[in-house]
Amino acid sequence: MTRATKAWILLLALSAASTALAASGLIGAALALPVLALSGLKAHVILRDYLGLVVAPGWLRGFDLGLSLLILAFAGLALAA
Amino acid sequence: MTIPPDSPQSLRASSLAPGEEKPKTHDEPPSGQLPGELLMWVLILSEITVFGAGLLAFLSVRLTDPTGFAEAQSHLHRTGAAANTLVLVTSGWLAALATRAAEAGQRRRLRLLLAVAIGFGAVFLILKGTEYADLWAQGIGTETHAFYTFSYLLTGFHAAHVLAGMVLLALVGWLGTPKAVETGAAFWHMVDLVWVLLFPVVYLL
């Protein structure tokens, strides 16, 4: 199985988990935090396996750091509402 | 060492245009260098920044009217948007496979994969268009509430990128070179990446 195919299966599983959380009736931090964490994981997989940053670990860490800060800002604003 | 003419190495080499470097595959060991075109990475970073700023603005304005935003969000098609996530990640997978096919010199396979990826892009736009049509039928436009101003702007801008990506995939499929296909697929993955950030903020939170 290729890296891209493994990534696709993982992305489907992460997306299914997001949908299940949204359908569970959870609200507030109990919904926002795991859903945003799953979003960050999906972004990491796309960068690593679809966009090929697996061959450039330093760049991957840089993108992960930037996206983590962005998602933390999303979480902070979502929880402040 | 002599490479047999029908070996995978020979097929890969034969797919390269004169003067074109062999693209790095995603299964090769780490080199530390960015794969693909540097300009495409500049575009990817720019798009993440633009959409990230838009989503931060959306969440900031939401602080002024959380109840109104929640009510407005309930009119969106959450199920369709969740399905669209599956559609885009599947389309991205096909584009990634097309990149490998291009590296292996399999032009027919790469074109088939890109055609199906474009088809999934069309499915995305149909689902998105259905949501817009439903909102408009309810009399909901960009001026109805601040939520819709942002959601139409962010999702509409993203949908425009999907459309542009479909055109780009068709173009690189026609060209068929490994470098072109890798660049087109990178744009498509960027569209996918933006959606996985946009979807939870606009549809779920």
Side-chain angles (χ1 to χ4, degrees):
Chain A
M1 189 185 293
T2 65
R3 179 177 286 279
T5 301
K6 287 178 189 168
W8 172 58
I9 292 168
L10 183 55
L11 286 168
L12 291 181
L14 293 171
S15 301
S18 292
T19 303
L21 278 166
S24 69
L26 290 171
I27 55 169
L31 173 68
L33 295 179
V35 158
L36 286 173
L38 286 167
S39 170
L41 278 174
K42 281 186 270 187
H44 171 77
V45 172
I46 290 168
L47 284 163
R48 185 189 63 188
D49 299 325
Y50 279 5
L51 280 161
L53 284 187
V54 67
V55 301
W59 285 101
L60 180 59
R61 278 194 296 274
F63 271 94
D64 281 346
L65 177 63
L67 284 173
S68 297
L69 292 173
L70 182 64
I71 287 170
L72 277 174
F74 289 167
L77 288 168
L79 297 184
Chain B
M1 185 181 79
T2 306
I3 298 173
D6 58 346
S7 70
Q9 294 93 326
S10 173
L11 287 171
R12 276 183 66 161
S14 68
S15 68
L16 299 176
E20 186 179 11
E21 286 181 27
K22 180 174 79 70
K24 189 177 293 302
T25 73
H26 300 167
D27 292 331
E28 286 180 5
S31 67
Q33 293 180 345
L34 277 173
E37 286 287 325
L38 178 62
L39 273 179
M40 187 53 73
W41 283 102
V42 172
L43 179 66
I44 290 168
L45 195 57
S46 304
E47 296 286 351
I48 292 172
T49 304
V50 168
F51 277 97
L55 292 169
L56 286 172
F58 170 85
L59 288 169
S60 299
V61 176
R62 180 176 177 245
L63 294 175
T64 64
D65 182 17
T67 309
F69 267 60
E71 201 285 323
Q73 189 190 56
S74 69
H75 292 268
L76 298 185
H77 288 190
R78 270 188 174 182
T79 307
N84 261 344
T85 305
L86 303 180
V87 165
L88 272 193
V89 299
T90 301
S91 188
W93 170 58
L94 295 168
L97 293 182
T99 304
R100 290 178 64 90
E103 289 162 356
Q106 300 166 331
R107 284 204 171 196
R108 191 170 173 173
R109 177 175 160 78
L110 84 83
R111 284 175 176 154
L112 178 64
L113 288 164
L114 288 180
V116 181
I118 292 167
F120 273 102
V123 170
F124 180 95
L125 290 179
I126 288 167
L127 286 173
K128 177 55 58 191
T130 304
E131 181 186 56
Y132 285 162
D134 190 37
L135 289 172
W136 287 330
Q138 295 176 56
I140 296 171
T142 56
E143 303 294 318
T144 306
H145 188 273
F147 175 91
Y148 297 113
T149 309
F150 277 100
S151 67
Y152 273 121
L153 182 69
L154 290 165
T155 63
F157 192 40
H158 178 265
H161 281 73
V162 172
L163 188 59
M166 290 165 66
V167 173
L168 186 60
L169 288 183
L171 179 65
V172 301
W174 175 66
L175 291 171
T177 64
K179 197 170 183 179
V181 175
E182 184 180 38
T183 303
F187 183 91
W188 197 240
H189 298 321
M190 178 269 291
V191 170
D192 199 357
L193 177 61
V194 167
W195 179 254
V196 303
L197 296 173
L198 189 156
F199 167 62
V201 173
V202 174
Y203 286 88
L204 300 184
L205 298 186

